[in-house]
Amino acid sequence: MKMKDKVLLIGSEGIGRGDDILGFEILVNLLNTLVNREDRPYAIIFWNVSVKLLAEGSPLIPYLKALEDKGLKLLAGQLCVNELELSGKMAVGKIATMNEILDLILHHEVVSL
């Protein structure tokens, strides 16, 4: 599969298990590096608490906005946004239904971070 056929799936506010602060720093580094690359995934799906990263006040907004401006789709799970009371507070990305998320998961190579 080509890189554009990949979808990244993020479910927490950091990458990997262990130290939460280090996991967040790894995520910041990954997004910052991704901004400067020509090869990017087709989309990034955020669900569970990771949807907070797309909301107003998130320190990741500059990186995520830069990625979105370069054509990367950023999707926040609708159920998660509603449960965390973030409706109307999303600064970047698009709220996606489970059907939209499943379309991506079932038709692309998924990399869970």
Side-chain angles (χ1 to χ4, degrees), residues 33-61:
T33 303
L34 201 53
V35 167
N36 297 308
R37 292 181 62 107
E38 292 302 315
D39 54 342
R40 292 182 200 90
Y42 177 75
I44 302 177
I45 299 168
F46 296 82
W47 61 7
N48 206 323
V49 296
S50 72
V51 298
K52 293 178 183 179
L53 301 172
L54 303 171
E56 296 168 356
S58 166
L60 298 185
I61 296 302

Side-chain angles (χ1 to χ4, degrees), residues 12-33:
S12 66
E13 294 179 87
I15 291 179
R17 291 193 166 91
D19 187 276
D20 291 340
I21 295 170
L22 180 57
F24 179 78
E25 291 302 320
I26 294 168
L27 179 56
V28 169
N29 191 289
L30 180 135
L31 293 173
N32 186 41
T33 303

Side-chain angles (χ1 to χ4, degrees), residues 92-109:
V92 67
K94 174 187 175 294
I95 295 174
T97 65
M98 188 56 75
N99 256 340
E100 292 169 305
I101 290 170
L102 279 173
D103 282 343
L104 288 172
I105 289 174
L106 295 174
H107 297 103
H108 293 83
E109 182 180 345

